[in-house]
């Protein structure tokens, strides 16, 4: 489970936000902008250390609020508290601080749970920075040398089978071992999205092909696979005048999932893209569904089931429904929403038998924002945790979990669910009962509006389950 926090945006109710179109091409390719946001009072700024680093830990305002008992026997948790990286050992209950300064983001566990990778920025407001590695006991912390600067979040990922990272830089795909120098696997003309195959032997990635700079609408992307141990990349498919965003692999490694973005349009992507499934070696993909291109809205079980959020439109509180799919067969089955709600934030249990998701009040397609904070709060409070069988049957709420629920995630054995509520991390039994707070509330500010209701917590936490 990976969690991220954002700043609050409070837009004005506006039906005219998309009404003025200067031209079809300009509209389709304009940069995305959030609705109007009333400014928040700035958070207290920490004084920088000499050399530009953030202050050391002894200048931080508070220590993490952690309940080790609540997390007993649930694995290991890495989390960011006021920019510093910590771990919670579910066996011993020990809370360990791993960094002394800087702004840690996007912690990721290695497949054996012995290492953490993270991005470390010296500026608290920065969204980029160098890649760092540290052992779980806090030793051998070091910045990875010989890499270009990370161009943004989610551009590094551990192999599922070895302590090796894939990193997308501004000049290609790199492989980074925990010891030794990085190796550039693929040379590209810019950063690319990628995904590991389940066996850790291949990477799938997309790249924009050469094009006439005077005609940017002619840009076409291609989807490649490349063996990690070497060899030339293999082009799997080309998307004429469209972008390709890699979403992941089939569970058996025989195919790849990707979103197709016509004209490389940021605006179209914000309103939903088609998710396609391509068997390796085939030339014709299967279109599964349309949905917002968020990786955390796709949940794949080891048995091959894919749980996803479907429905077009950038507003989260309308036209969002869960569907279960077999990507290899190309089948898709829509699941009924609880009455009067949208279904979002899906999580499929490891055995593929049960799902967890958030149901929230459907406000219709006329609401594009909230003029008053209490209106936004009321919608957030309609977000509840639901459990169902993977075919949609037996759906019921876990009412004791509370309201304002975000991003539930199953424990490996299916006995518990970890989720965000009230700016804190909670754990509840899958059969209900009393939830227990694990960490929080976090002192970092949150953006409850997010992007038209979409809020992700991917940068703040990582859950390791052996």
């Amino acid at each position: 489970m990976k969690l991220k926090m954002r700043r609050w945006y409070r837009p004005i109710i506006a039906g005219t936000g998309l009404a003025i179109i200067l031209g079809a091409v300009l509209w389709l390719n304009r940069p995305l902008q959030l609705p109007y946001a009333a400014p928040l009072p700035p958070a207290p700024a920490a004084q920088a250390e000499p050399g530009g680093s953030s202050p050391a830990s002894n200048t931080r305002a508070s220590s993490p609020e952690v309940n080790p008992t609540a997390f007993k026997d649930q694995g290991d948790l890495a989390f960011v508290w006021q920019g510093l990286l910590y771990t919670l050992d579910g066996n011993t209950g020990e809370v360990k601080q791993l960094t002394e300064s800087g702004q840690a983001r996007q912690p990721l566990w290695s497949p054996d749970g012995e290492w953490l990778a993270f991005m470390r920025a010296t500026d608290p407001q920065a969204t980029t920075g160098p890649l760092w590695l540290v052992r779980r006991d806090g030793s051998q912390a070091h910045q990875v040398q010989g890499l270009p600067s990370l161009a943004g979040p989610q551009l590094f990922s551990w192999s599922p089978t070895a302590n090796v990272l894939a990193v997308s830089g501004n000049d290609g795909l790199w492989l980074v071992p925990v010891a030794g120098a990085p190796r550039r696997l693929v040379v590209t003309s810019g950063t690319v999205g990628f995904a590991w195959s389940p066996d850790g032997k291949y990477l799938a990635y997309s790249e924009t092909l050469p094009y006439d700079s005077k005609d940017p609408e002619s840009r076409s992307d291609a989807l490649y696979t490349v063996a990690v141990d070497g060899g030339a990349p293999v082009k799997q498919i080309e998307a004429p005048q469209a972008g390709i965003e890699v979403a992941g692999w089939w569970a058996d490694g025989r195919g790849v999932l990707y979103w197709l973005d016509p004209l490389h349009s940021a605006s179209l992507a914000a309103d939903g893209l088609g998710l396609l499934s391509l068997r390796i070696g085939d030339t014709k993909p299967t279109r599964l569904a349309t949905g917002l291109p968020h990786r955390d809205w796709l949940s794949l079980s080891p048995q091959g089931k894919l749980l996803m959020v479907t429905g077009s439109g950038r507003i989260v509180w309308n036209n969002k429904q869960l569907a279960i799919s077999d990507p290899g067969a190309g089948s898709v089955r829509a699941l009924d929403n609880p009455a009067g709600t949208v279904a979002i934030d899906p999580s499929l249990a490891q055995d593929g038998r049960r799902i967890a998701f958030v149901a929230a009040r459907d406000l219709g397609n006329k609401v594009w924002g909230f003029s008053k904070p209490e209106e936004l709060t009321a919608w957030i409070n309609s977000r509840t945790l639901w459990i169902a069988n993977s075919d949609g049957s037996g759906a019921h709420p876990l009412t004791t979990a509370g309201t304002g629920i975000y991003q539930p995630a199953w424990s490996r054995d299916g006995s518990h669910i970890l989720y965000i509520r009230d700016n804190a991390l909670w754990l509840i039994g899958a059969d209900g009962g009393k939830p227990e707070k694990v960490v929080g509330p976090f002192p970092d500010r949150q953006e409850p509006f997010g992007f038209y209701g979409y809020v992700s917590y991917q940068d703040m936490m990582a859950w390791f389950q052996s």
Side-chain angles (χ1 to χ4, degrees):
M1 182 180 188
K2 296 179 285 185
L3 310 165
K4 177 181 178 180
M5 298 190 175
R6 300 178 175 226
R7 209 177 288 274
W8 174 29
Y9 287 87
R10 180 168 62 88
I12 293 176
I13 296 177
T16 61
L18 299 178
I20 301 176
I21 303 176
L22 299 178
V25 173
L26 291 176
W27 183 82
L28 288 175
N29 292 279
R30 76 192 192 283
L32 287 178
Q33 294 182 355
L34 290 173
Y36 169 76
L40 291 172
Q47 298 298 313
E49 293 177 343
S53 296
S54 298
S57 60
N58 59 13
T59 66
R60 302 280 173 162
S62 63
S63 298
E65 298 179 23
V66 183
N67 179 7
T69 303
F71 199 66
K72 185 172 177 56
D73 299 327
Q74 294 300 324
D76 298 288
L77 185 70
F79 64 94
V80 176
W81 186 277
Q82 290 191 311
L84 301 181
L85 181 60
Y86 293 82
T87 56
L88 168 59
D89 189 316
N91 292 323
T92 66
E94 180 185 16
V95 178
K96 183 179 288 293
Q97 180 179 326
L98 300 188
T99 61
E100 293 290 333
S101 63
Q103 189 78 17
R105 294 179 182 274
Q106 199 182 341
L108 295 176
W109 288 101
S110 63
D112 63 0
E114 291 300 317
W115 290 85
L116 279 162
F118 63 98
M119 187 185 75
R120 180 185 179 274
T122 55
D123 178 359
Q125 303 303 319
T127 58
T128 62
L131 179 66
W132 279 66
L133 294 172
V134 62
R135 278 196 173 274
R136 61 178 296 128
D137 61 4
S139 65
Q140 300 185 43
H142 63 279
Q143 178 182 334
V144 177
Q145 302 296 319
L147 282 178
S149 295
L150 298 177
Q154 300 178 349
L155 292 178
F156 59 95
S157 178
W158 289 101
S159 161
T161 59
N163 287 350
V164 177
L165 286 154
V167 178
S168 178
N170 55 18
D171 59 355
L173 271 177
W174 293 73
L175 295 178
V176 179
V178 295
R183 172 173 65 91
R184 187 162 57 178
L185 179 66
V186 176
V187 177
T188 66
S189 58
T191 56
V192 295
F194 66 89
W196 286 93
S197 64
D199 60 7
K201 294 181 179 180
Y202 294 89
L203 285 163
Y205 69 95
S206 61
E207 184 179 6
T208 300
L209 300 175
Y211 65 96
D212 184 351
S213 60
K214 297 180 180 179
D215 185 20
E217 296 173 40
S218 67
R219 289 177 297 166
S220 299
D221 279 12
L223 175 68
Y224 295 88
T225 55
V226 61
V228 174
D229 60 2
V234 177
K235 182 192 289 188
Q236 298 295 334
I237 200 166
E238 185 174 328
Q241 295 186 315
I244 290 176
E245 297 184 31
V246 179
W249 289 70
W250 300 0
D252 60 8
R254 296 181 180 179
V256 178
L257 300 167
Y258 65 93
W259 288 287
L260 187 68
D261 184 11
L263 301 177
H264 290 83
S265 169
S267 184
L268 290 179
D271 283 321
L273 299 176
L275 180 66
L276 278 64
S277 179
L278 177 71
R279 185 179 296 276
I280 298 298
D282 283 359
T283 58
K284 186 175 181 180
T286 299
R287 186 184 181 94
L288 298 180
T290 296
L292 298 180
H294 304 312
R295 280 197 181 187
D296 56 354
W297 276 11
L298 301 178
S299 183
L300 189 66
S301 76
Q303 297 78 24
K305 291 182 180 179
L306 172 66
L307 179 67
M308 56 186 169
V309 179
T310 66
S312 60
R314 66 189 64 184
I315 50 176
V316 169
W317 46 80
N318 178 246
N319 191 34
K320 301 298 177 287
Q321 183 179 17
L322 297 185
I324 197 81
S325 170
D326 179 342
S331 63
V332 179
R333 177 180 178 180
L335 306 182
D336 292 335
N337 291 0
T341 72
V342 292
I344 51 181
D345 288 8
S347 180
L348 184 58
Q350 285 287 303
D351 62 9
R353 296 179 179 178
R354 290 192 292 177
I355 64 175
F357 63 97
V358 170
R361 186 181 302 123
D362 189 331
L363 302 180
N365 60 9
K366 303 298 183 182
V367 177
W368 284 82
F370 305 90
S371 60
K372 299 178 181 179
E374 53 267 30
E375 294 175 353
L376 174 59
T377 299
W379 182 75
I380 291 173
N381 287 338
S382 76
R383 299 177 62 117
T384 53
L385 178 60
W386 283 67
I387 305 295
N389 297 320
S390 60
D391 62 0
S393 65
H396 63 278
L398 292 187
T399 55
T400 57
T403 61
I405 308 298
Y406 290 83
Q407 291 188 251
W410 288 93
S411 63
R412 187 175 296 276
D413 63 3
S415 64
H416 289 81
I417 297 171
L418 201 65
Y419 63 96
I420 286 285
R421 189 192 92 196
D422 297 333
N423 203 30
L425 186 67
W426 296 75
L427 189 74
I428 190 171
D431 296 326
K434 181 181 178 181
E436 294 192 77
K437 187 188 299 183
V438 178
V439 181
F442 291 91
D444 307 273
R445 285 184 177 272
Q446 186 183 12
E447 296 171 7
F449 182 79
F451 187 79
Y452 293 97
Y454 172 73
V455 178
S456 176
Y457 294 81
Q458 293 185 352
D459 273 3
M460 297 299 293
M461 297 187 188
W463 188 9
F464 177 74
Q465 303 180 70
S466 57

